[in-house]
Amino acid sequence: MMQKKSKSAPYYNIGQLRVEYWNKLKIETSDLRRCHKGSTNEKVHKQNVRDLLKELKGVESFFAFPGKERIQKFENAFISNEYASLAHMVAETTRQLLGDSYKSNPDFIGFDEQSMDSAEEHEQYHSIRKNHFEVLFVDNITTEDEQKLKHSLRTLRSPGDKFTYDVLIQRSFQDAMIALLFNHNIQAVVIRYAPPYYSKQITPVIKPYAEEVLKHDFSSKSETDLGPFMGELIKQFRPELDTYYVTDTALGHLKGSTIKGFNRIFYQTEDIQELHLTIIRGIAERYNTPFFSALVEYSQKPTGVFHAMPISRGNSVFKSRWIHDFGDFYGRNMFLAETSATTGGLDSLLQPTGPLKKAQEMARDAYGSLYTYFVTNGTSTANKIVMQALVKPEDVVLIDRDCHKSHHYGLVLSGAYPVYLDSYPIEEYSMYGAVPLEQIKAKLLKLKEAERLDKVKMLLLTNCTFDGLVYNVERVMEEVLAIKPDMIFLWDEAWYGFAGFAHNYRQRTGMFTANKLYKKYNSANYRRRYNEHIRGLKNGEQSSLPDPDKVRIRVYSTQSTHKTLSSFRQGSMIHIWDEDFRRKTENTFLEAYMTHTSTSPNYQMLASLDVGRRQVQLEGFELVEKSIEMAMVFRAKVNDMPQLSKYFDVLTVHDFIPDKFRQTGLKEYYSKNEGWNRMEEAWEKDEFVLDPTKITLFIGKTGVDGDTFKNKFLMDKFNIQINKTSRNTVLFMTNIGTTRGSVTYLINALLKIADALDEEFKALNDKEKEIRDKRIHSLTKEVPPLPDFSYFHPTFQAVPGVPGGHLREAYFMAYNENNYEYVPLEDCLSIMDAGRILVASTFVIPYPPGFPVLVPGQVVSDQIINFMTALDVSEIHGYRSDLGLRVFTEKALNNEKPRTPNAKRPIEKKKKQLI
Ligand SMILES: *Cc1c(COP(=O)(O)O)cnc(C)c1O
């Protein structure tokens, strides 16, 4: 294992560095203005301002706003000792930059109205709110030509434009790539000719944040290749951007990949206006929301309603004496947009041909799938649709047992045999990790040995998990496809919809990886590598590479858009990258979609999915990066403040992921002594990584359990909502709506809680202290072991001794009340000791953790009883403490014919079987 230390940096990212530097400059210039002329103090501040201006000039060369000209103005003011004006300008710029106001009001060339030079500036200042962005030009031009270019693009603006932009020039390949990494406001890239490779403007301050670019070396590429190559890289790294290539090479001489790699190719002789219009149109296309717009338009048309829905247009609401407050609360538009119409500009979700079809196609492009379907009943339904579409009774599905319950119910509906996979336990914190690849492969090989591999249809994993564990999707797919080349993957990305919009995350999504592997396996290069690999294998050894002649890429992912992106509750999507979809699955998929979809889908929800897609295409990169930054800031604060770290620990990568799954050795994102660790390498290589936006706080040292902390402390005292707790942890998440302010509020709340605990503990007498210490000991040391899946009772085994159980049969057997009885939990162990095998007749799902500890047909183990006894949660679905555990009667099990005549039963007691 590599034990290399990752590089660390003083700020998490360039955004944070910018915030800090601008704030410092603001304070320094303000101090400088108040200094006595000629004082030592003035000297110190002068030096500081000089240094900061120099550093910021380097950083700001990657942004069009505030821009070089403005920094030049600062420098001029500084040199001519106009400190008051300098302080004023810096304060104003900092305000615009941090408040993001520059994005809607672009042309603050002056810093307040008085200092504006031209009428044009005044007009712009008062112009309506516009969506403003930056266009990156990659071109090694002179400053003079730069001015000319900017000027000519500026003159093309017209007052009616919906969008405005500024031009950012970068003169080398490296600089352009760094700008794309740093600058969220770039929406389009124009590559003109062949740029030189190396940057000349990387300063030591910038360097740690530019590693992602600097670690590669493409300098050996010829200059003519570098432009098209950059286009390719951008498509991987920021696929949402529009890219344009300006060249002299005649069309006939351009490579096909170059032509396809750009949104459009321009010739130098073409009019600059054409380029301008194309840039604006590119943004307008992403901005377009076909369904939302259709709904808005529909709502503004006068209509008479002579079918269903009395609330449509608010008719039954606003005229009512008794419920008009309901209408007042939501406002008129909500009701104007409520309709059951599928015509008149609208569309039908069950058979879309108009704006919904278009909206889904746009989502497809945004999320990088081949097909995308909107789902209005949450990912709970999306999961059932995918399962029903792809598996039939008696097919085998490999599935992590701690996945969402919708999958378990989906298995009951489909009649498939689940082979349950166990995630590795993190016992100290009463949590599960994720399923190690070794285990998946071992199960598959076992099925292969039993000649059951042809029955295996699907591998279903949760990525990322609630707690933030992320699989190495590429490795899992590659090694599984090596054993079973036609495996279908369902990645439950309920918590991972945002992942497609930041590069680190995207590499571990189902859609990106499907696309990548498809290209890889169809390349001549891979075929060569595969043949070599096969030649090198010993007799009978399992290949770890898929056979390019047999492999099929069939990947599905389901995302709760509403959980991590902008959408109304229940808004969900199914993304499909299945090369056999049209041929093999489309019909069954549509049937399954019909099975589970309401004939009256909620239009507001569909419109929100459409708008949510627009958002991620235009600002996903920025917002996701910011949500990570907020999480990192929070991690650092808890770590750095002694009053917080006294009671709370943010669990680190190392706490969650055993060493053997961390090939790069990355242990934590932040530590007080070393600062920030870069996470890129771990995200490329490690078997598991931790999503930093999921922050698990260990609270064992407070003596309060997770559930109480959530309700009595966070909710009741501070109105802070969280979702998940374990015995001694609580989980916080940041998302694209998290603000600096909300992070500060949370930190303050935790500080107040820590202070209150101090007070409380001080006031304890000896006896109370003893009780408290016991409680802390219990929460930190006495954690109940987490149960593994035991095995299916032989009555319900698909094939004796081979993984896979008949869940559906067990489920429906319990519809006959004569087949089950209740056993009090406290009697279970003695009954089992006396030799009886207890078999669950229902799902038993405690909240938390929220997944079944027992499924119908599963044999009850000591471990499970101990776990249930130790659980201190009140909500356990499928179990009533007054009645006891609902198990099958012995008679029911004996009456039931084993599924295969030669099944042995009952098997030896308590021996753990891999079933
Ligand atoms: C929340 C969740 C679901 C269900 O999604 P809804 O949109 O709430 O129906 C499915 N899988 C996982 C892993 C989840 O966390």
Side-chain angles (χ1 to χ4, degrees):
M1 187 190 298
M2 288 198 303
Q3 276 298 351
K4 201 184 82 193
K5 231 189 70 56
S6 351
K7 291 170 202 75
S8 54
Y11 301 99
Y12 164 63
N13 62 10
I14 199 80
Q16 220 188 3
L17 179 143
R18 257 180 122 200
V19 170
E20 295 289 326
Y21 274 50
W22 277 101
N23 275 328
K24 271 196 224 168
L25 183 65
K26 187 171 107 180
I27 293 166
E28 286 293 336
T29 51
S30 154
D31 287 351
L32 179 61
R33 150 197 212 170
R34 275 174 300 174
C35 282
H36 283 296
K37 275 236 153 358
S39 64
T40 344
N41 228 355
E42 187 187 43
K43 251 196 209 144
V44 174
H45 289 302
K46 255 174 109 164
Q47 189 56 43
N48 289 348
V49 169
R50 191 174 296 125
D51 292 347
L52 281 166
L53 277 175
K54 185 165 158 259
E55 296 299 1
L56 272 176
K57 205 172 177 179
V59 175
E60 295 304 334
S61 59
F62 295 100
F63 301 86
F65 180 90
K68 274 184 298 194
E69 290 87 358
R70 196 180 280 209
I71 306 251
Q72 191 59 53
K73 271 194 182 181
F74 295 174
E75 282 180 337
N76 293 344
F78 180 65
I79 290 163
S80 37
N81 298 347
E82 293 162 15
Y83 298 149
S85 149
L86 174 67
H88 181 62
M89 292 191 293
V90 168
E92 185 58 21
T93 305
T94 308
R95 190 185 63 75
Q96 288 170 13
L97 199 61
L98 305 191
D100 283 351
S101 66
Y102 70 96
K103 286 185 204 163
S104 49
N105 241 330
D107 287 317
F108 285 107
I109 307 287
F111 309 104
D112 54 33
E113 275 207 85
Q114 282 79 35
S115 70
M116 285 183 180
D117 304 329
S118 70
E120 187 194 273
E121 282 172 16
H122 280 277
E123 185 200 319
Q124 290 284 359
Y125 183 89
H126 291 291
S127 69
I128 49 157
R129 195 181 154 90
K130 281 181 182 166
N131 296 293
H132 185 68
F133 59 93
E134 298 183 4
V135 177
L136 172 63
F137 276 72
V138 188
D139 196 353
N140 195 11
I141 50 174
T142 62
T143 324
E144 208 169 71
D145 284 343
E146 173 175 350
Q147 292 312 330
K148 267 193 220 151
L149 175 70
K150 284 183 176 171
H151 180 76
S152 48
L153 284 169
R154 224 163 234 278
T155 53
L156 291 170
R157 284 189 189 172
S158 78
D161 287 349
K162 225 164 140 186
F163 314 105
T164 58
Y165 63 89
D166 265 330
V167 170
L168 173 69
I169 308 269
Q170 296 296 332
R171 293 179 168 77
S172 75
F173 179 93
Q174 283 188 331
D175 286 324
M177 293 311 289
I178 294 170
L180 288 167
L181 187 68
F182 287 1
N183 186 335
H184 302 137
N185 216 17
I186 295 174
Q187 295 289 358
V189 186
V190 181
I191 302 170
R192 306 213 291 183
Y193 303 109
Y197 184 77
Y198 289 106
S199 162
K200 291 200 192 95
Q201 53 184 30
I202 295 164
T203 63
V205 168
I206 295 170
K207 201 158 175 271
Y209 309 96
E211 278 305 324
E212 265 306 275
V213 173
L214 301 179
K215 73 179 183 195
H216 301 287
D217 187 358
F218 304 116
S219 59
S220 60
K221 288 205 181 280
S222 80
E223 293 214 335
T224 36
D225 283 348
L226 222 39
F229 179 62
M230 190 187 296
E232 267 172 56
L233 282 184
I234 294 170
K235 284 285 166 242
Q236 283 174 41
F237 173 63
R238 288 191 63 180
E240 72 280 10
L241 300 186
D242 298 321
T243 53
Y244 307 106
Y245 187 46
V246 183
T247 180
D248 286 335
T249 313
L251 192 61
H253 294 267
L254 284 174
K255 282 190 201 147
S257 61
T258 304
I259 298 169
K260 275 193 291 184
F262 291 94
N263 293 54
R264 189 168 157 185
I265 302 209
F266 285 92
Y267 287 91
Q268 187 58 12
T269 48
E270 279 179 272
D271 198 4
I272 189 102
Q273 174 161 327
E274 193 60 19
L275 179 63
H276 167 77
L277 292 175
T278 308
I279 289 170
I280 294 288
R281 198 181 48 225
I283 305 302
E285 273 171 21
R286 271 184 273 160
Y287 188 84
N288 180 23
T289 42
F291 187 71
F292 172 58
S293 306
L295 196 61
V296 169
E297 193 164 313
Y298 178 91
S299 73
Q300 285 161 0
K301 281 194 290 204
T303 29
V305 179
F306 289 99
H307 52 108
M309 283 201 92
I311 74 157
S312 172
R313 315 203 72 75
N315 289 341
S316 69
V317 178
F318 290 105
K319 285 188 221 114
S320 160
R321 283 190 297 143
W322 297 100
I323 65 166
H324 64 86
D325 60 327
F326 172 63
D328 296 341
F329 177 72
Y330 283 107
R332 287 221 168 242
N333 281 342
M334 177 70 142
F335 297 94
L336 289 173
E338 274 293 339
T339 172
S340 57
T342 54
T343 52
L346 294 175
D347 202 356
S348 157
L349 181 64
L350 294 169
Q351 200 167 8
T353 53
L356 268 175
K357 180 162 188 272
K358 180 85 176 104
Q360 292 185 129
E361 285 166 0
M362 291 179 82
R364 168 198 72 195
D365 296 342
Y367 288 87
S369 66
L370 296 181
Y371 313 94
T372 285
Y373 290 85
F374 291 171
V375 178
T376 57
N377 242 314
T379 299
S380 305
T381 292
N383 286 338
K384 287 175 205 147
I385 292 172
V386 176
M387 179 86 76
Q388 182 180 326
L390 294 163
V391 302
K392 58 182 192 308
E394 307 195 2
D395 282 345
V396 173
V397 174
L398 271 65
I399 170 173
D400 57 341
R401 188 193 36 138
D402 54 329
C403 68
H404 189 260
K405 62 180 178 174
S406 55
H407 297 293
H408 301 279
Y409 289 117
L411 285 164
V412 169
L413 295 178
S414 74
Y417 298 139
V419 171
Y420 282 114
L421 306 165
D422 282 312
S423 293
Y424 67 82
I426 314 170
E427 304 222 308
E428 269 176 279
Y429 309 112
S430 294
M431 281 192 260
Y432 284 91
V435 184
L437 180 53
E438 275 315 311
Q439 195 198 137
I440 300 170
K441 290 198 295 184
K443 285 267 156 67
L444 276 176
L445 292 175
K446 205 163 164 139
L447 285 154
K448 187 175 177 185
E449 221 173 88
E451 297 182 354
R452 297 271 296 155
L453 209 49
D454 61 323
K455 284 282 175 196
V456 176
K457 262 288 161 57
M458 179 190 274
L459 169 63
L460 195 169
L461 295 169
T462 309
N463 194 47
C464 66
T465 68
F466 208 154
D467 304 298
L469 279 157
V470 185
Y471 285 85
N472 188 328
V473 174
E474 185 175 343
R475 239 184 90 193
V476 170
M477 298 217 296
E478 181 136 295
E479 298 199 19
V480 166
L481 288 170
I483 301 172
K484 166 125 183 112
D486 57 348
M487 182 73 101
I488 301 171
F489 297 87
L490 170 52
W491 294 99
D492 182 334
E493 297 180 350
W495 285 109
Y496 212 44
F498 67 101
F501 306 95
H503 187 62
N504 277 337
Y505 285 80
R506 188 187 305 116
Q507 297 172 88
R508 290 181 179 236
T509 60
M511 292 303 108
F512 180 86
T513 311
N515 191 12
K516 180 173 177 186
L517 289 182
Y518 180 79
K519 284 203 186 118
K520 178 172 170 182
Y521 299 147
N522 281 292
S523 71
N525 224 346
Y526 177 78
R527 192 168 286 273
R528 225 171 299 125
R529 229 185 90 204
Y530 174 77
N531 289 336
E532 255 166 51
H533 171 74
I534 293 296
R535 274 196 299 277
L537 289 180
K538 292 187 206 74
N539 227 350
E541 195 182 344
Q542 173 64 46
S543 160
S544 62
L545 293 177
D547 181 343
D549 288 324
K550 293 195 180 134
V551 70
R552 308 301 295 171
I553 299 295
R554 310 193 64 188
V555 184
Y556 292 70
S557 69
T558 51
Q559 296 179 342
S560 295
T561 317
H562 67 98
K563 281 185 181 169
T564 65
L565 297 171
S566 296
S567 152
F568 285 128
R569 203 159 158 77
Q570 293 194 359
S572 167
M573 296 191 199
I574 300 171
H575 302 299
I576 302 173
W577 211 111
D578 177 355
E579 59 181 300
D580 292 334
F581 185 72
R582 283 265 181 267
R583 210 157 52 83
K584 290 194 167 163
T585 321
E586 191 173 21
N587 291 335
T588 54
F589 183 88
L590 291 177
E591 291 288 359
Y593 193 82
M594 300 290 171
T595 307
H596 296 281
T597 302
S598 163
T599 46
S600 316
N602 183 309
Y603 281 0
Q604 322 311 331
M605 199 193 303
L606 294 171
S608 76
L609 287 171
D610 196 17
V611 175
R613 187 272 312 146
R614 177 210 287 172
Q615 178 176 43
V616 290
Q617 273 192 314
L618 289 163
E619 56 182 357
F621 180 72
E622 169 177 16
L623 295 179
V624 172
E625 178 71 21
K626 285 218 168 122
S627 70
I628 302 170
E629 189 187 323
M630 292 302 108
M632 292 296 191
V633 167
F634 179 77
R635 282 164 188 272
K637 279 275 188 285
V638 176
N639 226 297
D640 288 352
M641 299 174 90
Q643 179 64 354
L644 289 182
S645 51
K646 184 163 141 196
Y647 291 110
F648 309 112
D649 297 292
V650 175
L651 296 190
T652 62
V653 183
H654 174 256
D655 293 318
F656 269 102
I657 305 172
D659 291 350
K660 64 177 170 198
F661 301 129
R662 279 182 292 108
Q663 287 74 1
T664 64
L666 177 76
K667 284 191 161 160
E668 53 203 350
Y669 290 129
Y670 175 84
S671 75
K672 201 167 173 174
N673 299 329
E674 291 166 20
W676 299 102
N677 288 315
R678 305 304 308 167
M679 61 183 202
E680 288 84 3
E681 198 188 353
W683 277 70
E684 263 170 47
K685 295 179 183 155
D686 289 359
E687 176 161 356
F688 299 114
V689 289
L690 182 66
D691 170 7
T693 67
K694 316 273 191 299
I695 307 153
T696 301
L697 199 67
F698 176 65
I699 55 164
K701 290 182 288 182
T702 63
V704 181
D705 69 87
D707 202 46
T708 311
F709 195 83
K710 164 183 161 174
N711 294 313
K712 295 270 153 47
F713 288 71
L714 293 173
M715 190 64 214
D716 293 354
K717 290 196 185 139
F718 297 99
N719 274 314
I720 290 172
Q721 276 182 39
I722 58 163
N723 201 326
K724 194 187 170 215
T725 61
S726 78
R727 210 170 128 78
N728 52 21
T729 66
V730 290
L731 175 67
F732 298 100
M733 293 183 192
T734 59
N735 60 42
I736 62 164
T738 307
T739 59
R740 265 170 219 286
S742 56
V743 173
T744 311
Y745 182 71
L746 175 58
I747 297 278
N748 274 339
L750 292 177
L751 276 171
K752 284 182 187 150
I753 291 172
D755 290 345
L757 288 170
D758 274 355
E759 290 303 313
E760 193 184 316
F761 290 167
K762 248 189 256 160
L764 297 181
N765 64 33
D766 286 352
K767 183 68 197 158
E768 286 167 331
K769 260 202 195 96
E770 205 178 290
I771 295 172
R772 173 208 138 185
D773 288 347
K774 251 199 185 142
R775 180 90 190 119
I776 292 179
H777 188 265
S778 150
L779 287 176
T780 53
K781 300 286 185 312
E782 297 163 5
V783 279
L786 299 167
D788 278 342
F789 184 77
S790 51
Y791 59 95
F792 278 107
H793 187 266
T795 312
F796 305 109
Q797 287 174 14
V799 174
V802 183
H806 207 318
L807 187 64
R808 179 190 171 95
E809 188 173 289
Y811 182 89
F812 284 112
M813 208 165 107
Y815 271 38
N816 180 345
E817 65 200 46
N818 296 324
N819 283 340
Y820 62 78
E821 61 190 327
Y822 291 94
V823 178
L825 202 58
E826 59 274 21
D827 298 345
C828 287
L829 287 180
S830 57
I831 290 176
M832 284 152 64
D833 279 341
R836 178 170 167 198
I837 295 175
L838 295 181
V839 180
S841 70
T842 57
F843 287 105
V844 176
I845 309 179
Y847 281 78
F851 61 84
V853 294
L854 282 168
V855 306
Q858 184 187 342
V859 171
V860 180
S861 67
D862 293 12
Q863 249 188 346
I864 293 168
I865 297 297
N866 290 335
F867 179 75
M868 285 186 66
T869 311
L871 267 181
D872 37 18
V873 298
S874 47
E875 197 180 339
I876 305 181
H877 296 185
Y879 168 74
R880 277 178 55 184
S881 53
D882 52 343
L883 293 174
L885 209 55
R886 211 177 87 181
V887 297
F888 285 118
T889 60
E890 289 189 283
K891 186 152 165 285
L893 294 174
N894 290 333
N895 282 345
E896 194 62 26
K897 271 211 219 56
R899 302 200 54 73
T900 325
N902 60 357
K904 294 193 296 272
R905 67 191 166 93
I907 46 177
E908 324 88 281
K909 183 180 129 223
K910 272 196 240 166
K911 187 167 154 231
K912 201 177 145 209
Q913 305 265 316
L914 279 176
I915 289 174

